[in-house]
Amino acid sequence: MKKFLALLLAVAMMAFAFAGCGKKENITITEGTLTMGTNATFPPYEYTDENGDIIGIDAEIAAAVAEELGLKLEIKDMEFDSLIPAVQAGSIDIAFAGMTVTDERKESVDFSDTYAKGVQVIIVPEDSKIASPDDLVGKKIGVQTGTTGDIYCTDDFGQENVKQFNNGALAVTALTQGQVDCVIIDNEPAKNFVKSNEGLKILETSYADEDYAAAVSKENNELLKKVNEAMKTLKDNGKIDEIVSKYIKAE
């Protein structure tokens, strides 16, 4: 009789275990919420409005993705070079920050499907003798720390010729003050910076072309899968194009 009861108990425990396996797995660090990390100094992809709210292309795409997944979006603003460590540490679910897909970053995180194209351009004073990337040798180049502009310039021209700043606005201010000879940054924020600072221009020759995607932990394949499914839906129904065109007007 004791053996029979023990067998019944074992079967019951196995049934409970299997039932637990069938429970829906939570794919985010906070149930019901998609926690997005960004660096809100990169208009039109992410920046703060007059009310202090974070808006922009990435913020709206992330909100649309969260809605597709039945989640509420929470945005955390942080330094750009803290985003990948935050994804790895699990303090954020996903990084949407005009982040370029590179082989180096792929070693640390997984990337979603591409949702936008970026172009790295060169901002110079209007009277600058710099006319193309070939003229940057030996020049002092301003970049935002941790961006592809930083990575590419350091590789191409050496750390001694690259001056790093916490955000693009500080780099551009340094340019207006003569502390650097040029600034390399994405084309869209570059347009905003040049518009806001007299005496600057963007060179017609770009420095690099790149793909933007969202970064997700390598330990969270299920979230990556669902984000890509949501992105496909948003591309197919035209929502991503609608968001991008809201912030980047056709020229």
Side-chain angles (χ1 to χ4, degrees), residues 32 90 141 160:
I141 304 167
E160 68 277 9

Side-chain angles (χ1 to χ4, degrees), residues 9 24 67 85 101 129 136 138 140 170 182 186 197 206 210 215 220 242 246 248:
L9 180 60
K24 183 179 179 181
E67 185 176 358
V101 179
K129 294 182 179 180
L136 297 180
K140 184 62 70 175
L170 291 175
C182 68
D186 180 89
N197 294 272
S206 64
E210 50 199 11
N220 202 342
E242 177 187 326
K246 173 181 174 181
I248 302 176

